Amino acid sequence: MLTTRAAVVEAPGAPFTVHEVTLDDLRPGEVLVRMVAAGLCHTDLGVQLGGIPFPLPGILGHEGAGVVTKVGSAVTRVAPGDRVLLTFTSCGRCANCRGGHPAYCATWVPSNLITGQRDDGSHTVHRDGRPIGAHFFGQSSFAQHAVADERSVVKVDPQAPLELLAPLGCSVQTGFGAVWNVLAPRPGSTLAVFGAGAVGLSAVMAAHLLPLAAIVAVDRVPHRLDLALELGATHAIDTETDDLAKALAGITGGRGLDHAVETTAVPGLLRAAVDALGARGSCAVIGAPPAGTEVSFEVQSLLTGKRILGVTLGDGEPETLIPQLVNLHREGRLPLDRMVRHYRLDELDAAAAAMHRGEVIKPVLRF
Ligand SMILES: NC(=O)c1ccc[n+]([C@@H]2O[C@H](COP(=O)([O-])OP(=O)(O)OC[C@H]3O[C@@H](n4cnc5c(N)ncnc54)[C@H](O)[C@@H]3O)[C@@H](O)[C@H]2O)c1
Ligand SMILES: [Zn+2]
Ligand SMILES: [Zn+2]
């Protein structure tokens, strides 16, 4: 048992407050990580506001980065002293895990989100002797230390700058995976990214590394659109001032988009993205509006071979994709410093507010 400090959300809509908590002893397949950094993702805020189910009081955070200090008896991936990035967990045994699609693991939702506990029903974290929600994405990294599943840690180079790379675990992996793994655009095709936040800008950076004819960024915050253009977008559309459908039609010469990536979580923009697709075009749905949200489509418009694909975490295999992204960063082809701003653990509310105001794209806690 180890005592550490963690940011706790007491109830839906409550702020993050730092408390002393006790971590459970490691199970055979778990590792203890001393956190060096942890990114704040919009999904953490979705849970904090009660739109995504998770037991509260609880500890969020799913873009951890740190150093392994102890490993369970069955752990083989990492050893004490290894630097790791933390990502989602998965069982490793079901058909989708065996097929290289762990983001669609049979136990993904209970293991990463809704139960807040281990698969066997035990808890990784207690406060004042009572269990609290944790094990979020197999980690709950808004804490100085975390008990993490072995399958949610990926070993990285000892020199890797963890305070910049933390967002690889979710946002960056999600945007890159949606483009590279799911849409896999052909050379010369067109792609529009709806939402120029951390996920959308990652999709823009992923698209920029491919020989596409057009990469369109759509947002309503002018400085985010400017950054998208610097990171490789060829066109920017401001939904506050531009006619979205007309602008997209103009860019594609009236043919419609080959690909769209929807990250705003705004139902009307998902509809607009699908409407803007050309024949055989595909739209990756990433943005997560509150549970129960519905969107309608004009059915005949879909009959031209359009595809709408929901995507979790970029449908990647983290032990393969994350080291590739670390290499891209080392080569200067993944300029994460353009979207990261650093905060302390007790500044999470300020970080969330800056994100809501659109000022900061990717807050990262530094421990
Ligand atoms: N499916 C997954 O696996 C997965 C993984 C990570 C994040 N997410 C979800 O993806 C979404 C994006 O995450 P993020 O961290 O990039 O969030 P973010 O808030 O940084 O980005 C969303 C962007 O959409 C823009 N936007 C919102 N409303 C708009 C409108 N009406 N018109 C134009 N632009 C608008 C915002 O200005 C912002 O730039 C969130 O819903 C998050 O929960 C899903
Ligand atoms: Zn599985
Ligand atoms: Zn996330």
Side-chain angles (χ1 to χ4, degrees), residues 154-169:
V154 176
K155 183 177 167 176
V156 294
D157 197 86
Q159 269 78 47
L162 298 179
E163 60 292 345
L164 282 179
L165 296 177
L168 296 193

Side-chain angles (χ1 to χ4, degrees), residues 87-104:
T87 184
F88 66 93
T89 188
S90 54
C91 80
R93 295 179 300 274
C94 72
N96 282 339
C97 281
R98 293 198 313 274
H101 300 278
Y104 304 122

Side-chain angles (χ1 to χ4, degrees), residues 283-298:
C283 176
V285 182
I286 295 176
T293 303
E294 296 187 1
V295 177
S296 65
F297 299 100
E298 204 277 315

